[in-house]
């Protein structure tokens, strides 16, 4: 049990540091196996959300640059 809890802690620490790639390691069983899958799914979803935000932010920046360029002409 302690090893599983340590793995959860390591994933949460990575998340807090902005790392969405960390996954629980090891062969979890029972409720910890489900938790391992849930944590992986949550990290995938958060990573996807962050990629969407980054892409949208870049698009907004590009549009703002175009507007600024048009204003300068």
């Amino acid at each position: 049990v302690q090893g599983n809890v340590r793995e959860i802690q390591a994933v949460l620490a990575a998340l807090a540091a902005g790392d969405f790639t960390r996954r629980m390691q090891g062969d979890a069983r029972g409720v910890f196996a489900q938790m391992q899958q849930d944590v992986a799914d949550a990290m995938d979803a958060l990573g996807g959300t962050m990629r969407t935000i980054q892409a949208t932010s870049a698009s907004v920046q590009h549009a703002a640059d175009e507007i600024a360029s048009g204003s300068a002409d």
Side-chain angles (χ1 to χ4, degrees), residues 21-71:
T21 63
R22 178 74 159 87
R23 299 293 182 268
M24 289 176 64
Q25 305 296 312
D27 185 28
R29 299 188 187 279
V31 69
F32 286 107
Q34 183 61 52
M35 192 176 296
Q36 185 176 35
Q37 185 60 53
D38 292 343
V39 166
D41 292 346
M43 295 295 277
D44 288 342
L46 286 169
T49 299
M50 291 307 295
R51 285 187 294 279
T52 299
I53 290 169
Q54 288 172 332
T56 302
S57 174
S59 178
V60 168
Q61 182 62 51
H62 178 72
D65 291 344
E66 295 254 334
I67 291 168
S69 176
S71 295

